[in-house]
Amino acid sequence: AQRVTQPEKLLSVFKGAPVELKCNYSYSGSPELFWYVQYSRQRLQLLLRHISRESIKGFTADLNKGETSFHLKKPFAQEEDSAMYYCALSVQGAQKLVFGQGTRLTINP
Amino acid sequence: EPEVTQTPSHQVTQMGQEVILRCVPISNHLYFYWYRQILGQKVEFLVSFYNNEISEKSEIFDDQFSVERPDGSNFTLKIRSTKLEDSAMYFCASSAGTKETQYFGPGTRLLVL
């Protein structure tokens, strides 16, 4: 079965500091990985997906198949980055998203 | 920008009662999904729906659950006889294609007493 693990439930960093939210997955095939974000009182929304290789709001994530990881990084955190972040996976032949537990990121001024 | 909408935003019901949660997916989307999140737990997939039939479902989606697209715009989740453990936030999502981005609604918070 597929599984996504986000080891940190809570992460707190200061504004301007680098941020890394960890995500590890277990799946024997070729997954597609996503980061979704939920700002306060807003809906879940896609932040980025690994196939796009984009940088969104300064965030990047690289799929490391050797380490089965898809960590989310930003070099300089901003206060508006405070939110709940979910890593998710989809597998070939299936439509469902498998989510991690989520990490609540707080950026301190 | 078009959005997925869900009604009601909150629902309180008695154990054993039937509930229907409603969703209006984005209008040109073809794939529809329900997920749920029990408080403090992960977002879990329930079911996906395409071309008027279930295309995938999880073990959670047992005979107590059903989905329907009663008209061209609504997508509903029915729980026939609610249990205490059905208390959760239920999210609807839709996508244009099977591997396209899933867009989520704001959720319906269901409380079963």
Side-chain angles (χ1 to χ4, degrees):
Chain A
Q2 306 89 37
R3 182 186 288 268
V4 176
T5 303
Q6 293 178 251
E8 302 134 332
K9 276 191 147 177
L10 302 169
L11 183 62
S12 183
V13 302
F14 285 102
K15 179 180 165 182
V19 173
E20 183 179 48
L21 291 90
K22 292 185 166 47
C23 172
N24 288 90
Y25 66 90
S26 60
Y27 175 58
S28 54
S30 290
E32 185 166 354
L33 275 295
F34 306 81
W35 277 99
Y36 275 80
V37 61
Q38 189 172 29
Y39 300 103
S40 180
R41 295 192 182 85
Q42 295 187 28
R43 64 189 64 205
L44 268 168
Q45 55 187 280
L46 180 69
L47 181 62
L48 53 81
R49 53 196 296 178
H50 89 271
I51 60 167
S52 302
R53 295 185 174 274
E54 293 174 299
S55 172
I56 306 291
K57 299 186 179 185
F59 285 98
T60 59
D62 290 315
L63 179 61
N64 185 323
K65 289 188 178 180
E67 295 184 359
T68 60
S69 68
F70 189 58
H71 303 327
L72 184 68
K73 299 178 186 178
K74 183 169 181 175
F76 307 104
Q78 298 170 300
E79 286 183 67
E80 54 264 34
D81 296 329
S82 294
M84 195 74 179
Y85 290 80
Y86 295 94
C87 183
L89 167 157
S90 77
V91 303
Q92 284 179 320
Q95 293 143 20
K96 69 178 182 185
L97 291 172
V98 177
F99 283 87
Q101 189 90 10
T103 297
R104 182 169 297 283
L105 176 65
T106 302
I107 308 300
N108 300 305
Chain B
E1 188 177 324
E3 289 184 328
V4 176
T5 59
Q6 290 185 243
T7 53
S9 57
H10 295 77
Q11 174 128 19
V12 181
T13 190
Q14 295 289 324
M15 192 169 57
Q17 294 297 302
E18 174 184 286
V19 294
I20 297 176
L21 309 183
R22 292 185 166 78
C23 169
V24 179
I26 293 172
S27 63
N28 63 341
H29 284 185
L30 301 175
Y31 292 81
F32 316 118
Y33 313 85
W34 284 101
Y35 292 82
R36 79 170 185 193
Q37 186 176 29
I38 294 170
L39 190 64
Q41 297 187 25
K42 296 183 179 188
V43 176
E44 302 173 289
F45 170 78
L46 292 177
V47 66
S48 60
F49 192 85
Y50 169 71
N51 200 24
N52 275 321
E53 57 184 37
I54 291 172
S55 47
E56 192 178 355
K57 62 180 182 178
S58 71
E59 311 86 57
I60 304 167
F61 194 86
D62 62 21
D63 292 344
Q64 292 299 311
F65 292 89
S66 62
V67 289
E68 194 178 31
R69 188 155 161 83
D71 54 45
S73 58
N74 288 285
F75 177 53
T76 61
L77 174 69
K78 183 194 290 188
I79 309 175
R80 266 180 262 284
S81 177
T82 50
K83 306 185 189 80
L84 296 176
E85 54 265 36
D86 294 327
S87 295
M89 182 73 106
Y90 287 81
F91 295 105
C92 175
S94 69
S95 66
T98 185
K99 288 300 180 187
E100 298 297 315
T101 299
Q102 294 185 25
Y103 291 86
F104 282 77
T108 293
R109 186 170 294 284
L110 176 66
L111 179 61
V112 182
L113 301 176

